[in-house]
Structures are given as structure tokens and as C-alpha cells.
């Protein structure tokens, strides 16, 4: 902090290196024909290190993230999805990046023999995804908070033209699985 103006200057620079090692477990469970849940958890050790003109900046943490996605099929041609995600705190060069979490929701409906698909989705419905970092060092303390626009609603309309079975034959001939891999969520 400049004693005359009271202005603080923050400088960003590339650190020496970062290393991480960990594992991920993914599980898909079909609870009923109309309901399935996919869960994933990723745990890892993270180390960041630098030796530069600002001194030795070394920090490490055990961190991770997890996600649960629940899919429901109800009524004919209607599907809903709820996704919850949590990112644990992680080491930063001079502090820690705080935890982040959020929930997304979507619903999809097919019409006209699956030729028209309407998809409505809302990301971060509780508007909780925000970046925060606590940083401490010789002569300073910094609590940084940043929030981007994360609660976003989208409405997507997809119309399939032409014969659908012709595209499926082409996919099989090209080595594809014969259908879309992405359900639109």
C-alpha cells in the first residue's frame, strides 16, 4: 500500500510450476427405468511452487470436486435433469482458493414424433458460483471475491428435417453408433 495515496497494487505472474496427482471415481446407477443417477468424485494432491524475486512461494493441498447428475424420464418424450457440483478449497501461491458449488436444472420435451425438441435449462439456479481467494504474505492480507454472471436461462429449439433413418444408416456406415451421444443437456 502506497503511504501517500492509500492505493494497493496487485501483480499477477506465472509461478515456477504446479503438480497434481489424484484419482476419479464415476458411478452410474439406474434406480428405476425412469430414473438414473451419475456420480463422480475426483480427489487429488496439488502442489504449487515458485522461487523468484518475490521469494519462495510454496503451497499444497489435498483437494477435489464432486458432481451428482440425476436424470428423470416422465410422460412420453419428456426428460428432466438436476446437476449438483462442489469444488473443494485448493492451494494458491500465497493462500487458498475457497470452495465453489452450484446447481443446474433442465427439462427437455420432444414433439412431432421426435422431430422437434424443446430444451429449457437454468445454470446456477441459486446464484452461488463465485470465486474467492484468501491470500496472506509479509506485510499484506488480501480477500478477493469475484462473481461472474452464472445464473443463465437458455431455451433451445431443435428441428430435425428430412428422413431420420437415412442419417442413422449413414452413421452406421461411418462407424457411428446410429444415434446422438448428447441428449441435449
Amino acid at each position: 500500500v502506497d503511504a501517500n495515496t492509500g492505493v494497493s497494487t496487485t501483480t499477477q505472474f506465472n509461478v515456477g510450476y504446479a503438480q497434481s496427482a489424484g484419482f476419479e471415481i464415476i458411478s452410474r446407477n439406474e434406480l428405476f427405468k425412469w430414473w438414473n443417477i451419475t456420480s463422480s468424485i475426483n480427489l487429488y494432491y496439488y502442489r504449487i511452487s515458485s522461487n523468484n524475486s518475490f521469494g519462495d512461494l510454496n503451497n499444497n493441498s489435498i483437494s477435489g470436486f464432486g458432481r451428482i447428475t440425476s436424470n428423470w424420464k416422465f410422460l412420453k418424450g419428456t426428460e428432466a435433469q438436476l446437476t449438483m457440483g462442489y469444488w473443494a478449497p485448493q492451494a494458491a501461491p500465497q493462500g487458498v482458493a475457497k470452495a465453489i458449488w452450484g446447481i443446474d436444472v433442465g427439462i427437455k420435451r420432444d414433439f412431432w414424433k421426435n422431430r422437434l425438441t424443446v430444451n429449457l435449462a437454468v445454470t446456477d439456479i441459486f446464484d452461488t458460483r463465485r470465486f474467492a481467494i484468501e491470500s496472506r504474505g509479509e506485510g499484506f492480507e488480501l480477500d478477493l471475491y469475484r462473481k461472474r454472471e452464472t445464473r443463465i436461462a437458455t431455451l433451445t429449439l431443435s428441428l430435425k428435417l428430412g428422413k431420420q433413418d437415412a442419417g442413422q444408416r449413414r452413421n452406421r456406415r461411418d462407424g457411428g453408433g446410429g444415434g446422438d451421444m448428447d441428449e441435449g443437456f
Side-chain angles (χ1 to χ4, degrees):
V1 178
D2 184 308
N4 297 323
T5 64
V7 174
S8 174
T9 303
T10 302
T11 303
Q12 296 180 350
F13 59 92
N14 291 329
V15 297
Y17 65 92
Q19 296 173 318
S20 63
F23 65 92
E24 182 173 29
I25 298 172
I26 301 171
S27 172
R28 184 175 191 280
N29 302 296
E30 189 166 322
L31 304 173
F32 299 98
K33 188 174 184 174
W34 52 271
W35 183 22
N36 70 65
I37 294 177
T38 302
S39 307
S40 68
I41 186 166
N42 185 311
L43 295 173
Y44 57 92
Y45 171 79
Y46 180 73
R47 179 176 174 221
I48 189 164
S49 180
S50 176
N51 185 352
N52 57 42
S53 61
F54 295 105
D56 290 334
L57 303 177
N58 300 302
N59 203 353
N60 62 69
S61 64
I62 295 176
S63 190
F65 57 90
R67 179 170 304 172
I68 298 173
T69 301
S70 182
N71 295 294
W72 300 273
K73 292 180 183 181
F74 55 96
L75 303 175
K76 187 175 179 181
T78 304
E79 297 178 32
Q81 182 178 81
L82 178 76
T83 301
M84 298 174 282
Y86 174 80
W87 295 262
Q90 178 178 297
Q94 294 175 295
V96 63
K98 302 284 220 146
I100 301 172
W101 69 279
I103 297 176
D104 305 330
V105 65
I107 188 164
K108 178 179 93 164
R109 173 88 173 146
D110 291 324
F111 298 95
W112 297 336
K113 297 181 182 178
N114 298 333
R115 290 182 145 325
L116 174 67
T117 301
V118 178
N119 186 359
L120 174 64
V122 179
T123 59
D124 195 17
I125 59 175
F126 297 112
D127 202 26
T128 57
R129 287 190 187 122
R130 55 199 71 195
F131 175 78
I133 190 166
E134 289 180 355
S135 190
R136 308 283 182 261
E138 190 174 320
F140 79 94
E141 290 184 15
L142 172 68
D143 292 315
L144 175 69
Y145 166 84
R146 185 172 48 209
K147 176 75 174 98
R148 296 185 341 192
E149 182 179 4
T150 56
R151 185 190 299 156
I152 300 170
T154 58
L155 177 64
T156 306
L157 302 173
S158 301
L159 181 61
K160 298 172 188 161
L161 302 173
K163 292 185 177 183
Q164 291 181 0
D165 61 349
Q168 290 175 346
R169 277 194 303 257
R170 184 178 68 244
N171 273 344
R172 279 192 290 268
R173 188 174 56 239
D174 294 340
D180 291 338
M181 291 182 67
D182 183 5
E183 293 294 323
F185 290 117

